[in-house]
Amino acid sequence: MIDIRQLTKRYGGNPVLRGVDFQAGRGEFVVVLGQSGAGKSTLLRCMNRLAIADGGELRIDGIDAMRCRDPRALRRKVAMIFQHHHVVPRLTALKNVLTGRLGSVSVLGSCLQLFRRQDIALAHACLARVGLAHKANERTDALSGGQMQRVGIARALAQQPAVILADEPVASLDPHTARAVLEDLRSAARELGITVVCNLHQVDYAREFGDRIVGLAHGRVVFDDRPDTLTEADIERIYAPSAEPAQPAPAPAPGAPIMLAAGLEG
Ligand SMILES: Nc1ncnc2c1ncn2[C@@H]1O[C@H](COP(=O)(O)OP(=O)(O)O)[C@@H](O)[C@H]1O
Ligand SMILES: [Mg+2]
């Protein structure tokens, strides 16, 4: 489902991904574990083309994600979940989940918020899956942080994606709620056959929930195996301070155009 080979990405002169190899199968729940700055978010952003990798190969469900002309085709297959649930506060939980269908309805339909009956049924089913059937008609700003994050998961599921990318989805939740949210994600992977790549920086959650852990340190994969094989030495490698200081950006040649790093590249 995901096949990444020797992926590289620099920001200015700073190598952030230094040749990442990473494969994931259908229905796998892969935790990408690493300290802050390891390159986890950059890896996810390359997977849905919010960032453009510099080199290597990146295929998702048969699409060549580095060369495809239409990023929307990729983004229909790839749903994102962020640390800060990007839900629309004034909309009901149900309408937030229905926005997950916008990639599949006509422009006119989406402007008029015309959703097909089957989309509404699907949105209800997705809310039920994350335990929020009873909150469908409540405004999202009346929900707790954990419930908002679950609305975000339900919206991702309503997109019927092949892959869900979750970037530190539980970083701002208490441990009890965090576990419940990770459980929802894992059961979605198992029961719906969705490949989930979930960035985390906590070892205990990675061990508890990952089918597999990919340890990322300073832009390189330093561990890739089942959680029960993760040793203290592996954890030290994942959290080791960088041996290679960041390179300063090379001075541009005289007369060369100056490039500015942009947040959203494609
Ligand atoms: N848009 C950007 N422009 C410049 N540098 C960036 C950008 N995004 C990330 N970086 C740098 O890339 C490195 C890895 O960042 P990130 O992928 O966010 O790591 P993580 O998610 O593991 O904390 C950091 O040094 C960060 O400062
Ligand atoms: Mg990050």
Side-chain angles (χ1 to χ4, degrees):
M1 188 58 73
I2 299 175
D3 188 4
I4 294 178
R5 301 198 187 241
Q6 286 300 304
L7 200 73
T8 56
K9 173 71 182 169
R10 290 175 164 264
Y11 280 114
N14 188 20
V16 175
L17 302 177
R18 303 172 189 241
V20 170
D21 285 296
F22 172 77
Q23 286 83 37
R26 190 177 144 79
E28 227 183 335
F29 187 100
V30 184
V31 172
V32 177
L33 180 66
Q35 62 187 327
S36 178
K40 304 182 298 295
S41 295
T42 303
L43 180 61
L44 289 203
R45 289 164 61 82
C46 287
M47 284 193 224
N48 75 347
R49 271 178 71 119
L50 286 170
I52 310 289
D54 300 323
E57 297 288 328
L58 205 172
R59 300 188 80 82
I60 293 186
D61 198 16
I63 295 185
D64 182 339
M66 287 178 63
R67 292 169 196 87
C68 72
R69 294 238 170 85
D70 180 10
R72 283 171 306 176
L74 185 69
R75 290 186 193 140
R76 273 196 291 274
K77 287 185 184 268
V78 180
M80 287 288 290
I81 296 169
F82 301 93
Q83 173 179 349
H84 298 289
H85 27 74
H86 289 197
V87 292
V88 185
R90 65 191 162 73
L91 293 184
T92 63
L94 185 74
K95 283 203 170 150
N96 265 290
V97 175
L98 278 167
T99 63
R101 300 300 304 154
L102 286 179
S104 309
V105 299
S106 67
V107 175
L108 180 65
S110 69
C111 289
L112 298 174
Q113 293 196 2
L114 292 176
F115 292 99
R116 291 168 298 182
R117 195 176 297 228
Q118 71 246 42
D119 286 338
I120 293 169
L122 173 65
H124 277 293
C126 293
L127 278 171
R129 176 168 271 287
V130 298
L132 289 181
H134 58 300
K135 299 286 185 186
N137 295 316
E138 281 195 29
R139 273 173 60 131
T140 317
D141 50 9
L143 303 180
S144 70
Q147 288 170 334
M148 285 191 204
Q149 191 58 294
R150 289 172 140 161
V151 171
I153 294 175
R155 180 179 56 195
L157 296 175
Q159 196 181 322
Q160 296 184 311
V163 173
I164 291 179
L165 307 176
D167 197 0
E168 306 259 6
V170 300
S172 48
L173 301 177
D174 65 80
H176 176 76
T177 311
R179 286 204 159 77
V181 164
L182 288 170
E183 188 59 56
D184 282 342
L185 275 174
R186 181 169 62 183
S187 67
R190 289 200 177 149
E191 292 160 25
L192 304 174
I194 299 172
T195 305
V196 178
V197 183
C198 180
N199 284 352
L200 293 175
H201 62 264
Q202 304 96 326
V203 179
D204 49 346
Y205 291 156
R207 277 195 207 276
E208 193 175 335
F209 290 95
D211 291 327
R212 220 173 92 211
I213 295 176
V214 171
L216 196 66
H218 315 294
R220 286 200 176 93
V221 174
V222 296
F223 178 87
D224 184 353
D225 209 335
R226 292 202 326 267
D228 57 357
T229 69
L230 185 78
T231 64
E232 286 304 314
D234 294 322
I235 294 171
E236 271 177 34
R237 247 180 317 135
I238 294 171
Y239 289 93
S242 177
E244 301 164 60
Q247 299 291 314
I258 296 170
M259 307 288 281
L260 295 176
L264 185 72
E265 297 165 37

